Amino acid sequence: MIPLLVAITHPETAWLIHAVMPVTGLLTLLILATLVRPALIRLTVTLQTKRQRHRLATMPEHMRPDLALLWAPVVITPTQLVTTGLALAIMLSIGLVLFAPLSLALLLGLPLTAMLVWAMVLVAQQRYIHQLDQQLTAAVGRLSALLKAGTGLRPALERVTVDLGSGPLQSEWSYLISRQGMPLEGGGIATAQQVVIALADQTPSRRHANLLNHLGASVGQPQDVLARRCEAAYAALQASDRRRDEARTELAQMRYSGVAVGLAGVTMALYLAWTQWERVIVAYTTPLGMLVAPIVGLALILPVLGGFALAQVEDADY
């Protein structure tokens, strides 16, 4: 019997014996993910609602919008968030189980998945803001032209919003249209000025918030005042776009220079480490070497970080 077992057990297929437990665990994880997905979606919606209420409670009372004007941007839907998070958890578990036991892979997969989901939300928020800012200048230009032609604010917003197409700016300007005249929790109905100020306090785009605060002071004034304000805002946004383009060009040049210098330094360091490892160890373990290394690294990276920070500054001067 023993010789027969030896004859039918091949070394090249022995890995199947060790793969039984990991595959079983991953299949169990996949089934559990499918079952708990609806509950996780509901939990995500609940957490988002609680977060919005907490944010509302921590705002100063004079800046707190009425409950009827409460709004939150849809940066990423709960369904997309949960589905992507579960997919990341399964893929990380598959990757980690190749190098660690199943229990350790599942344990390490939880914090790694949380970090990746958090990074994904940040990226989605930045993409939302970038897309809104890209559409803002042209939309304000058309709004200014309609207001100068004598069109009221709400009809002008409706005409511009229809042509915007699906996107963040259409969502936020649709809020301006739909919330006007809505009954408030504190009594009365929402005026155009109240809706504009409420959106300015809740939009994630600082550029859009500055524009709304600029226009909010003139919404209740005569048509010509509002038209002049909107025209001034359009000119300021155009000037800001020109300065941003110049900053991006300079930043690109700084990035290219930083990459070239950085790669040259890294290449030389690798060459020295390969050919004279003992001397490199001696050089960078001395007190002077430990002091010089971070200074050189900061000298290379600070210009790039500074240029990137300057490119993000909102400099529209109304």
Side-chain angles (χ1 to χ4, degrees), residues 295-310:
I295 294 176
V296 174
L298 288 175
L300 293 175
I301 197 173
L302 280 180
V304 178
L305 295 178
F308 180 78
L310 289 174

Side-chain angles (χ1 to χ4, degrees), residues 29-274:
L29 181 62
L30 181 61
I31 295 172
L32 289 176
T34 305
L35 294 176
V36 303
R37 180 174 172 270
L40 288 177
I41 293 174
R42 292 192 295 271
L43 179 62
T44 303
V45 174
T46 303
L47 291 176
Q48 288 179 344
T49 304
K50 290 183 177 180
R51 181 184 177 186
Q52 186 70 8
R53 290 178 179 176
H54 175 72
R55 178 177 174 271
L56 182 65
T58 55
M59 291 178 63
E61 188 173 355
H62 67 281
M63 295 177 57
R64 192 178 303 168
D66 190 89
L67 291 178
L69 301 179
L70 195 62
W71 173 83
V74 183
V75 175
I76 181 170
T77 64
T79 302
Q80 291 176 334
L81 182 63
V82 171
T83 303
T84 306
L86 291 174
L88 286 173
I90 294 173
M91 288 188 294
L92 282 174
S93 299
I94 295 174
L96 291 172
V97 81
L98 299 176
F99 307 98
L102 178 62
S103 56
L104 181 60
L106 295 176
L107 184 62
L108 293 176
L110 291 176
L112 290 177
T113 302
M115 291 175 60
L116 288 176
V117 169
W118 176 71
M120 181 181 64
V121 173
L122 291 181
V123 170
Q125 184 175 6
Q126 291 302 316
R127 185 170 62 247
Y128 178 96
I129 295 173
H130 177 73
Q131 186 177 356
L132 191 153
D133 291 345
Q134 288 292 318
Q135 296 179 315
L136 189 60
T137 303
V140 173
R142 186 164 181 220
L143 181 65
S144 174
L146 290 172
L147 291 175
K148 287 173 63 178
T151 308
L153 177 61
R154 180 163 182 165
L157 285 172
E158 291 174 348
R159 292 177 60 179
V160 175
T161 302
V162 169
D163 296 334
L164 280 175
S166 179
L169 188 59
Q170 186 196 48
S171 174
E172 298 201 4
W173 281 17
S174 296
Y175 167 90
L176 293 177
I177 298 169
S178 62
R179 299 302 173 96
Q180 292 184 37
M182 178 174 289
L184 299 177
E185 294 288 335
I189 60 174
T191 64
Q193 187 174 26
Q194 288 175 315
V195 176
V196 170
I197 298 301
L199 181 59
D201 293 335
Q202 298 176 92
T203 179
S205 171
R206 290 179 298 174
R207 200 178 200 208
H208 196 202
N210 290 340
L211 170 69
L212 293 172
N213 285 323
H214 172 74
L215 295 179
S218 57
V219 168
Q221 297 184 15
Q223 176 79 12
D224 58 336
V225 176
L226 179 59
R228 286 198 302 270
R229 281 255 183 174
C230 192
E231 184 178 10
Y234 178 52
L237 288 173
Q238 285 182 310
S240 175
D241 286 341
R242 286 193 295 268
R243 290 191 292 269
R244 284 192 171 198
D245 291 338
E246 294 173 358
R248 288 193 183 100
T249 303
E250 295 176 0
L251 177 59
Q253 295 174 352
M254 294 170 66
R255 283 176 176 169
Y256 295 146
S257 301
V259 169
V261 174
L263 287 179
V266 169
T267 304
M268 184 173 293
L270 292 175
Y271 173 75
L272 291 175
W274 178 263

Side-chain angles (χ1 to χ4, degrees), residues 264-282:
V266 169
T267 304
M268 184 173 293
L270 292 175
Y271 173 75
L272 291 175
W274 178 263
T275 57
Q276 302 182 21
W277 176 251
E278 293 79 6
R279 294 188 178 183
V280 171
I281 293 296
V282 172

